[in-house]
Amino acid sequence: MGFVPTGGLPTTIPGPITVLHGAHVMAPEDLGRQDVLVLGGRIAAIAPEIDSQALPSGWPSVEVHNLTGLLLVPGLVDAHEHLTGGGGEGGPATRTPEVTLTMLTTAGVTTVVGCLGTDGTTRDMRGLLAKAYALESEGVTTRIWTGAYEVPPPTLTGSVRGDIVLIDKVIGCGEVAVSDHRSAQPTLQDIRRLAAECRVGGMLGGKPGILHLHVGSGRRGIEDVFAIIAEGEIPAAQFIPTHMGRTQVLSRQAAELTRAGGRADFTAGPGCSQSISEALAHGADATRLSVSSDGGGSLPRFGPDGALAGLQVGSPSTLLATVRDLATDGVLSLEQALALVTSNPANAIGLGETKGTVAVGADADLVAIDQAYQVRNVWARGRLMVSGGQPVVFGTFEPAPKH
Ligand code: ZN
């Protein structure tokens, strides 16, 4: 059956026109084999057969990509990356480098939320905001968390609430460290006050106003969050703690938080599938879980004496590897596993209408992956960023390949 353009399609089109042909679409719901029409950076149609020859004659030439044998999934939404670099826990030489455009796109990430971490001293919010603007102009979609590990958090306007209300890119406060030897040891009242600033800032700014907590391996876990929720004023939905796969106690608390109406985020990588499996065994609501990469951040190991024993840098490429683990381990269906890195985080940060979904009207953020969960092609707002597994659009200072 041919696709017949209707009166709903415009006669002139800004930007590239692309037909993605023959992929199995996971939206992340399983839509089966579908063609996808991209116009002006958005998804204009999804149908079993879209005939590029039958499109209105006034349109410019159409780019057709044959994706037969590939899965087409939403561009990944990574709600926790250290875009300006992080680390420094072993001194200045261990400050990690900035995240580049192609680090994101080759991992299938088309929407990213940047944050500061341990180091809110030599990295600051101005640098993070500028980096978010830079990546956005290079082609992906960005947001940021205001703050860092420390309390009171560093901000742009002088307050968390002010940043959320006044700065477009700020969606909440994070990553504020709790239950961690690197935290500022915030009290229950400190956390309660920050949650209140997020809540009211979110209301005034028309945003989620999330308090995004970095949770360490300390025994308290997120007990303070439960204490605040139990007071009955600030709802569980205001909180998204991350690194919730770090200990078995945290996996259980993650489950409890989702049952109370909150959300819990896990850090991708080896062991993530097992931790999510434990959370599900404790009754976690899978639709309220997400996975982020901690990309650009340092992944330090500390010895029993508290001294730094080793250091690695987080990469967003762990996201799809974790989806693969979840699906092949049988912890979740592929549809549910994909939701953890697409629709669930998009919903959590208030972008569920346009991001993390393959749907008519949504942004054309799309990733074609092969049977081995390797990224083949990536489109960000309709623009081809990765082709045949290789980046074709580069960040300003990234070396383009020599011809
Ligand atoms: Zn963290």
Side-chain angles (χ1 to χ4, degrees):
M1 192 184 74
F3 171 75
V4 181
T6 68
L9 290 173
T11 52
T12 58
I13 297 299
I17 302 172
T18 310
V19 173
L20 309 182
H21 178 75
H24 186 123
V25 178
M26 301 289 293
E29 308 77 44
D30 188 347
L31 301 185
R33 192 219 152 284
Q34 300 282 349
D35 287 356
V36 175
L37 174 65
V38 173
L39 301 179
R42 299 216 167 174
I43 297 170
I46 302 171
E49 197 70 47
I50 295 176
D51 182 357
S52 56
Q53 304 296 317
L55 297 175
S57 57
W59 288 10
S61 65
V62 177
E63 203 175 292
V64 180
H65 292 265
N66 185 354
L67 304 181
T68 304
L70 300 178
L71 284 179
L72 190 66
V73 308
L76 308 191
V77 178
D78 191 357
H80 186 112
E81 286 209 38
H82 297 274
L83 298 179
T84 53
E89 287 105 331
T94 62
R95 295 164 83 252
T96 61
E98 290 200 356
V99 171
T100 61
L101 178 69
T102 61
M103 281 171 64
L104 298 169
T105 56
T106 56
V109 174
T110 54
T111 300
V112 64
V113 187
C115 60
L116 301 177
T118 322
D119 180 4
T121 303
T122 77
R123 318 274 187 178
D124 67 12
M125 287 306 303
R126 293 181 188 196
L128 180 61
L129 180 61
K131 178 71 180 180
Y133 284 137
L135 286 167
E136 182 100 22
S137 73
E138 289 173 347
V140 293
T141 300
T142 59
R143 295 290 187 275
I144 58 173
W145 301 106
T146 190
Y149 273 27
E150 65 232 51
V151 174
T155 63
L156 289 153
T157 64
S159 74
V160 163
R161 174 170 150 170
D163 282 12
I164 297 172
V165 176
L166 299 171
I167 313 281
D168 267 1
K169 288 219 174 283
V170 175
I171 57 167
C173 178
E175 59 169 330
V176 175
V178 299
S179 299
D180 194 299
H181 61 107
R182 294 163 291 173
S183 78
Q185 301 298 328
T187 63
L188 175 65
Q189 175 54 16
D190 290 331
I191 299 166
R192 187 192 283 118
R193 183 180 293 129
L194 284 175
E197 283 205 60
C198 286
R199 178 163 179 77
V200 180
M203 287 175 176
L204 297 176
K207 301 190 184 162
I210 299 293
L211 180 56
H212 184 50
L213 297 169
H214 156 109
V215 188
S217 49
R219 277 191 293 274
R220 291 168 291 175
I222 55 167
E223 278 173 13
D224 285 350
V225 171
F226 291 122
I228 293 165
I229 297 166
E231 292 164 355
E233 294 181 17
I234 295 173
Q238 221 70 45
F239 298 92
I240 305 180
T242 188
H243 315 317
M244 293 301 282
R246 208 189 280 279
T247 66
Q248 290 187 348
V249 170
L250 290 181
S251 293
R252 182 173 50 73
Q253 290 185 329
E256 194 178 335
L257 186 60
T258 66
R259 288 200 308 272
R263 295 176 183 273
D265 189 66
F266 289 71
T267 305
C272 185
S273 170
Q274 173 64 27
S275 306
I276 289 176
S277 168
E278 286 166 16
L280 293 168
H282 286 293
D285 176 352
T287 67
R288 304 191 70 79
L289 300 179
S290 57
V291 172
S292 61
S293 75
D294 214 358
S298 70
L299 306 175
R301 283 182 297 108
F302 295 95
D305 57 351
L308 185 72
L311 193 72
Q312 285 182 307
V313 181
S315 161
S317 64
T318 52
L319 292 172
L320 273 177
T322 298
V323 169
R324 179 200 60 210
D325 292 348
L326 286 162
T328 55
D329 295 351
V331 175
L332 290 171
S333 67
L334 177 57
E335 183 174 316
Q336 288 174 312
L338 279 168
L340 300 188
V341 294
T342 57
S343 53
N344 292 2
N347 289 332
I349 62 172
L351 299 178
E353 295 284 303
T354 54
K355 301 293 184 185
T357 177
V358 183
V360 173
D363 287 354
D365 293 341
L366 297 160
V367 180
I369 59 175
D370 63 21
Q371 304 288 332
Y373 293 82
Q374 297 297 309
V375 170
R376 304 307 301 165
N377 295 342
V378 178
W379 290 265
R381 285 181 265 136
R383 182 179 180 200
L384 184 66
M385 309 295 280
V386 175
S387 180
Q390 297 301 317
V392 292
V393 175
F394 293 83
T396 312
F397 297 103
E398 289 189 284
K402 293 185 176 65
H403 291 292

